[in-house]
Amino acid sequence: MSDAIQVPGVKVSSKSMPAVGLGLWKITQDSAAQAVYEAIKVGYRHLDSAADYGNEQQVGEGIARAIAEGLCSREELWITTKLWNTYHRAEHVEAACRRSMDDLGLDYIDLYLVHFPIALRYVDFNDRYPAEWIFDHSAEDPAMELDQVPLSETWGAMEQLVESGLVRQIGVCNYSAVLLHDLMSYARIKPAMLQIESHPYLTQEALLRTARSYNMAVTAFSPLGSLSYVELNMAGANDTVLTDPSVLAAAQRNGVTAAQVVLRWGIQRGTAVIPKTSNPQRLIENLTLTEFTLNDEEMDAISALNQNHRFNDPAQFCEAAFNTFHSIYD
């Protein structure tokens, strides 16, 4: 416990969430348990999961091992997971939450998020889990099938999770400012978190200001930009921010890596960050962000790299991968 790296916190309602977490998207089932165990061992206390990632059972194994060996207690961990698109109807929300809890081996979730503002036709757990995006893979033209579920219905069921004690905090992912305004007009239990793609090529300053005007914390996924998307053919090798001269200059002045500079930029602008890695050295590097500070000139230069370049855009990947055009951003 004493050797664990200490990380700053981000205020989420009345709680403090570690500002650096381990993103679990695209960590394979074979490596997830060990990756989580090693992350907790070096000091991670914030894990960002989702039913759709398909590795929650293995993540739970890593958590259980770490707790059993005394590396941490359950109360010291912050576990985020997410409601998948196929479970938006009110009658399916609690069952989806409980399935994640069972797979993770937890009796409560710290933060439960609506993964996308996209409602898809229900797929039973026994038919396919994770349900993924396509409704029927055996169809002649497999595609997404949308379900007509108001976001307000889904949110009402999310609120019931808090009231029943299954979940401590609730929030949303991939919402626009307009959807946040709408949500705040009917939410009895206000969203505590907005999770969005954000990095120097997609700073989303107006959306961050909107969230903060509602006292919502913000978590940036894909905080290093294109790295998560090259292998999915959703980004090119030249799309990386890590070779930009302003990032490299800041890295040289501070004696750190380019990735550490970009993650530090995210923390200094007030967001939590959830980089993904299973590399032991990268685990430590991504967590070690408090030993240096970017100056105002460095912060401004990195923010100026904004291109409004979104890598994770349903308008692009849904049509390319799932035969369905579905845009949620203007």
Side-chain angles (χ1 to χ4, degrees):
M1 293 286 291
S2 60
D3 294 331
I5 299 170
Q6 300 300 309
V7 297
V10 169
K11 187 176 180 182
V12 183
S13 294
S14 60
K15 305 293 184 180
S16 179
M17 180 186 78
V20 183
L22 177 65
L24 297 167
W25 180 45
K26 298 200 293 91
I27 294 184
T28 65
Q29 291 183 356
D30 290 343
S31 63
Q34 186 66 22
V36 166
Y37 171 81
E38 294 295 341
I40 293 173
K41 188 174 182 179
V42 300
Y44 284 82
R45 295 295 180 265
H46 171 190
L47 303 175
D48 186 85
S49 183
D52 185 57
Y53 300 165
N55 57 13
E56 288 199 313
Q57 186 173 356
Q58 292 76 26
V59 169
E61 292 169 4
I63 292 171
R65 179 185 171 194
I67 292 175
E69 293 186 13
L71 299 181
C72 67
S73 65
R74 168 62 185 98
E75 291 71 28
E76 291 174 297
L77 293 175
W78 181 286
I79 310 297
T80 297
T81 189
K82 307 175 188 79
L83 176 77
W84 186 238
N85 305 339
T86 50
Y87 312 125
H88 273 216
R89 288 196 173 273
E91 62 264 32
H92 302 313
V93 170
E94 182 176 329
C97 179
R98 287 186 179 276
R99 174 61 187 260
S100 281
M101 289 171 58
D102 289 345
D103 285 348
L104 292 166
L106 305 176
D107 57 9
Y108 68 90
I109 299 293
D110 296 277
L111 176 63
Y112 199 50
L113 305 174
V114 178
H115 202 150
F116 281 94
I118 301 172
L120 297 179
R121 189 172 168 187
Y122 175 68
V123 176
D124 190 85
F125 297 157
N126 295 321
D127 294 333
R128 188 172 67 250
Y129 190 88
E132 305 170 328
W133 292 82
I134 290 175
F135 177 69
D136 183 1
H137 287 273
S138 65
E140 183 176 347
D141 295 307
M144 295 163 51
E145 292 195 16
L146 300 176
D147 198 4
Q148 302 302 310
V149 185
L151 290 171
S152 58
E153 176 181 327
T154 305
W155 190 255
M158 295 281 286
E159 292 172 327
Q160 291 178 17
L161 299 177
V162 177
E163 291 167 342
S164 65
L166 298 178
V167 169
R168 299 286 172 85
Q169 309 274 359
I170 51 178
V172 293
C173 301
N174 302 299
Y175 268 46
S176 64
V178 170
L179 288 181
L180 290 185
H181 294 315
D182 186 58
L183 171 58
M184 297 301 289
S185 74
Y186 57 75
R188 291 185 299 105
I189 298 176
K190 304 301 182 184
M193 177 66 71
L194 170 67
Q195 186 176 125
I196 52 171
E197 179 184 348
S198 190
H199 43 75
Y201 287 165
L202 184 69
T203 57
Q204 305 227 62
E205 296 291 349
L207 184 54
L208 264 63
R209 287 187 64 183
T210 300
R212 288 166 181 155
S213 74
Y214 289 125
N215 296 315
M216 296 176 65
V218 177
T219 296
F221 71 78
S222 302
L224 296 174
S226 65
L227 293 184
S228 295
Y229 302 99
V230 174
E231 64 189 79
L232 300 175
N233 295 318
M234 296 165 67
N238 294 328
D239 290 328
T240 179
V241 70
L242 300 183
T243 57
D244 187 89
S246 62
V247 173
L248 294 177
Q252 183 176 20
R253 185 187 74 82
N254 290 283
V256 295
T257 68
Q260 286 175 304
V261 166
V262 174
L263 295 176
R264 178 69 198 184
W265 170 84
I267 289 177
Q268 279 189 219
R269 67 200 294 256
T271 68
V273 294
I274 46 172
K276 168 259 179 185
T277 186
S278 54
N279 179 295
Q281 183 59 36
R282 293 284 185 269
L283 278 173
I284 295 172
E285 286 181 1
N286 291 348
L287 202 63
T288 311
L289 303 175
T290 60
E291 298 173 0
F292 70 101
T293 302
L294 300 177
N295 60 37
D296 291 343
E297 291 77 13
E298 289 165 338
M299 288 293 293
D300 290 344
I302 295 171
S303 295
L305 298 176
N306 181 51
Q307 303 171 7
N308 296 320
H309 189 153
R310 190 184 304 279
F311 295 104
N312 195 324
D313 188 347
Q316 301 296 325
F317 69 75
C318 287
E319 187 167 30
F322 312 126
N323 301 317
T324 310
F325 174 74
H326 193 77
S327 177
I328 62 173
Y329 307 116
D330 294 334

